[in-house]
Amino acid sequence: MRASGPSRRAVLAGTAAAAAITVVPSFPGAAAAATSQAPSYRWRQVVIGGTGFVTGVLFHPSVRGLAYARTDIGGAYRWDERSARWTPLNDDLGWDDWNLLGVEAMAVDPAHPDRVYLALGTYAQSWAGNGAVLRSENRGATWARTDLSVKLGGNEDGRGTGERLLVDPRDSDTLWLGTRHDGLLKSTDRGATWAAATDFPGSATSSGQGVTLLVAAGRTLYAGWGDSDGTSANLYRTSDGTTWEAVPAQPSGTSAKVPIRAAYDCHTRELYVSYANAPGPNGQSDGSVHKLATTSGTWTDVTPVKPGGTTSDGSADTFGYGGVAVDARRPGTVVVSTNNRWAAVDTLYRTTNGGRTWTSLKDSAVLDVSETPFLTFGADEPKFGWWIQALAVDPYDSKHIVYGTGATLYGTRDLKHWAPQIRGLEETAVRRLISPPTGQAHLLSGLGDVGVMYHERLTASPSRGMASNPVFGSATGLAQAAARPSYVVRTGFGDHGNGAFSHDGGKTWAPFAAQPAIAKDAPGPIATNSDGSVLLWTFVHWDGTKYPAQRSTDNGATWSEVATCPKGATPLADPADPARFYAYDTDTGTLFASTDGGQTFGGRASGLPSGDSQFQLAAAPGRSGDLWLSTKTNGLYRSTDGGGTFTKLTSCWASHTLAFGKAAEGADYPAIYQVGATEAITGVYRSDDGAKTWVRVNDDRHQWGWIGATIAADPRLYGRVYIATNGRGIQYGEPV
């Protein structure tokens, strides 16, 4: 599913690995400096551990312990062997550059260990900006940037193929970049400028996959082409960097329709290529693995297991092949991965004799996910993996293998024991945040793909993993009773119920005894009044269709329709008066209010900004009727009479999301935090004087792309603010 335009937002539902998609417009002035003097803040990431699709892993062939990883919406990372952690490399990309957090491809230079290159661009759709190439001479500590005239698709189908970026082994100044819709590009100045490789035979189209991979086999370059019909050529090569030709006698047919990845064994001079009948990560049902003896031109089918059989329970065993990696220390030793093998579960196959025989590493695997307990996804045991297209063998350690899944990166040092190798890499798309006023946890989170989490510590993945009973894929609602914070409710996409409540602040949960029928397909946000006696649930389908709100006064046992509440509006409970609810109708720009516990709503202030479903309404804690309305670039509005009238504030020109935290010493109003703009930069701001003045609290090194979903501020610790990102997890800052 894709959003229809730059003002629409959609969440990709389905498997737990699907990345949330957010479409946002660009705003002016991202490169300018804020005029307010920013206080000194320390920024860290709340530890969850992965939770997103790792689409590529690349060990440096010339430096022990140096590796890079790419993700579909969360930027790239560098591995530090000493600390056993990943370092994020793209947190400096700001609001206007949100589309560059998806990494299409990466490349290293074997002859110059400090050089690394990234091809960035999340979506290739008309509403997204063009891609860019970043180049670094210091392993990603700093970057030089070249904006492209073409679009890339790091979060589109085929994002696990590749790499599509390559340093020419004959000349380090020459780089190649395969695009989806614009053919093959070439740079002769280390990525500073790019031009079309006019002799490349693939016919560029406005749809499809285009170039899926680039790999060097000695001094010969090979390029995979993803738009073949299964009978025409899909693998090309050049030996002189100018003239390309179809590789003779290459495999054909459905099982070899799309070349996914390739790896070259320099000892045996054989090129291994994995294939599938679709680019993946979803939609594959057939595939194969072939090797090419580059000296003789002979192809051999070395597929470990042919798709199409049946599992022990009679299910169809359909899948494609994904990753392929060679062991640089052992000739003929190769590892490949299956992909989209849901019935029998994906695995890695390893051969030590050039593909004559294979061993499934899953069969002897011992998985330890104690560091990231959510990986059980509510089951007794974790699965070996799914969406396995990223795969690498350490060139300095034959038993060190890593592979990416839709939620983590697993690694082994002995081919038997596997554990997440994910420290420092956070890719969650965050949708809801609550910082409770009391209790053990300072944070509850509602996340894309991995439901709701209870963060008893910010420095370790939640010990309880995902909230269960029921388990959600993506969370859509999370609310706490203001005067009774032990009571929390949540909603989301799930197979065994779409709503639940907690009486212990979110530690344990129980499902609603009943739910409206529409909740299964369109579970929207939920609110609970200040004493927890009333629930108000609204419903929005992913295609934008809105449905009437439903109300419960018995903890979700029965529900009744509230016809006067605007359809699809996010409900908000008054934090001091249990009889009051609010809902902002973004279609008409009207504030609706209820004074009878959500039974009926009536229109109050009207003529406010309209037309954008992402406008947000917030209520100041401990006060009745003190409402704040963030309307993006239309500004920030405040009402002190329960929505009867609103006043537009002049202290900022943009406000996207807003939260309240503990008041500054001597202040009589809570500290206010927002993602917005006072002059040029869209960033994170704090006000200690009721929004009269603002100071920016993030800096140019900590921007994280688009951060407009939600924020939360700690009611117990002055200055602490939690930032929801769309692919870099939860970031939090504190004054230092």
Side-chain angles (χ1 to χ4, degrees), residues 7 10 14 132 134 163 236 242 290-291 396 485 516 538 600 670 678 730:
S7 63
L134 300 187
E163 298 293 325
Y236 298 97
T242 300
H290 297 258
K291 72 175 181 179
Y396 291 89
T538 58
T600 60
T678 60
I730 306 167

Side-chain angles (χ1 to χ4, degrees), residues 455-474:
H455 302 266
E456 65 268 62
R457 291 190 296 160
L458 304 181
T459 56
S461 185
S463 62
R464 300 174 182 273
M466 300 166 58
S468 58
N469 194 28
V471 171
F472 291 163
S474 289

Side-chain angles (χ1 to χ4, degrees), residues 49 81 128 141 164 196 208 216 238 241 288 301 336 382 406 471 556-557 560 582 595 609 640 658 700:
E81 185 72 14
R164 303 178 194 236
T238 181
S288 60
D301 186 340
V336 300
V471 171
S560 59
Y582 310 98
T595 57
T640 57
L658 182 141
D700 290 348

Side-chain angles (χ1 to χ4, degrees), residues 34-98:
T35 58
S36 299
Q37 181 64 41
S40 180
Y41 256 64
R42 180 187 181 187
W43 289 96
R44 290 172 284 181
Q45 46 194 19
V46 175
V47 175
I48 301 174
T51 77
F53 188 22
V54 179
T55 51
V57 177
L58 187 61
F59 281 102
H60 199 289
S62 307
V63 181
R64 180 187 291 271
L66 177 60
Y68 297 90
R70 62 178 167 96
T71 65
D72 54 1
I73 62 171
Y77 294 79
R78 182 186 64 246
W79 176 252
D80 180 4
E81 185 72 14
R82 291 182 182 179
S83 63
R85 293 184 63 84
W86 295 97
T87 298
L89 301 179
N90 303 121
D91 283 356
D92 61 331
L93 291 171
W95 183 273
D96 284 1
D97 288 325
W98 68 269

Side-chain angles (χ1 to χ4, degrees), residues 37 55 61 93 129 158 222 274 276 306 363 388 432 438 444 509 540 613 650:
Q37 181 64 41
T55 51
L93 291 171
Y222 289 80
S274 62
K306 301 287 186 182
D363 295 346
I388 305 177
R432 299 285 186 268
T438 60
L444 305 176
W509 298 85
V540 183
S613 62
T650 59

Side-chain angles (χ1 to χ4, degrees), residues 666-687:
D668 60 0
Y669 197 82
I672 309 173
Y673 301 81
Q674 70 164 335
V675 174
T678 60
E679 290 192 10
I681 288 183
T682 300
V684 184
Y685 292 83
R686 188 189 76 219
S687 175

Side-chain angles (χ1 to χ4, degrees), residues 423-703:
R423 292 179 186 174
L425 198 160
E426 300 288 348
E427 204 201 348
T428 319
V430 185
R431 293 293 168 259
R432 299 285 186 268
L433 292 174
I434 292 176
S435 185
T438 60
Q440 179 183 0
H442 278 256
L443 186 67
L444 305 176
S445 63
L447 311 170
D449 307 332
V450 288
V452 169
M453 291 191 177
Y454 177 90
H455 302 266
E456 65 268 62
R457 291 190 296 160
L458 304 181
T459 56
S461 185
S463 62
R464 300 174 182 273
M466 300 166 58
S468 58
N469 194 28
V471 171
F472 291 163
S474 289
T476 58
L478 183 63
Q480 186 172 45
R484 185 185 159 201
S486 61
Y487 184 73
V488 190
V489 290
R490 62 184 173 95
T491 54
F493 288 95
D495 294 331
H496 303 286
N498 302 91
F501 63 91
S502 171
H503 285 301
D504 54 15
K507 291 181 182 179
T508 61
W509 298 85
F512 295 153
Q515 66 179 39
I518 192 59
K520 181 174 178 57
D521 296 320
I526 194 169
T528 180
N529 64 344
S530 60
D531 64 8
S533 61
V534 178
L535 303 180
L536 193 64
W537 194 357
T538 58
F539 306 92
V540 183
H541 196 269
W542 62 263
D543 65 4
T545 305
K546 302 174 182 179
Y547 299 89
Q550 298 275 340
R551 177 179 181 269
S552 175
T553 57
D554 52 14
N555 210 33
T558 60
W559 297 87
S560 59
E561 183 178 307
V562 183
T564 51
C565 181
K567 293 181 180 179
T570 299
L572 177 69
D574 190 282
D577 185 346
R580 290 179 178 266
F581 282 92
Y582 310 98
Y584 187 67
D585 186 352
T586 59
D587 291 336
T588 65
T590 303
L591 189 285
F592 284 78
S594 171
T595 57
D596 57 6
Q599 296 181 70
T600 60
F601 280 78
R604 304 206 71 192
S606 60
L608 295 164
S610 62
D612 195 317
S613 62
Q614 295 180 52
F615 293 166
Q616 296 185 19
L617 188 66
R623 293 159 170 79
S624 182
D626 190 353
L627 306 179
W628 297 72
L629 178 63
S630 296
T631 63
K632 301 173 72 169
T633 55
N634 295 292
L636 178 63
Y637 293 76
R638 184 186 182 187
S639 171
T640 57
D641 58 4
T645 59
F646 279 84
T647 300
K648 185 175 183 178
L649 280 71
T650 59
S651 59
C652 63
W653 66 268
S655 179
H656 301 276
T657 182
L658 182 141
F660 301 90
K662 184 177 181 179
E665 185 175 355
D668 60 0
Y669 197 82
I672 309 173
Y673 301 81
Q674 70 164 335
V675 174
T678 60
E679 290 192 10
I681 288 183
T682 300
V684 184
Y685 292 83
R686 188 189 76 219
S687 175
D688 294 332
D689 57 10
K692 295 182 180 67
T693 61
W694 300 88
V695 292
R696 185 183 175 207
V697 297
N698 72 323
D699 54 57
D700 290 348
R701 295 181 299 108
H702 301 92
Q703 299 196 74

Side-chain angles (χ1 to χ4, degrees), residues 100 150 342 345 399 422 424 437 459 468 492 556 622 633 692:
L100 299 184
V150 304
W342 294 101
V345 182
K399 293 185 178 180
I422 203 72
T459 56
S468 58
T633 55
K692 295 182 180 67

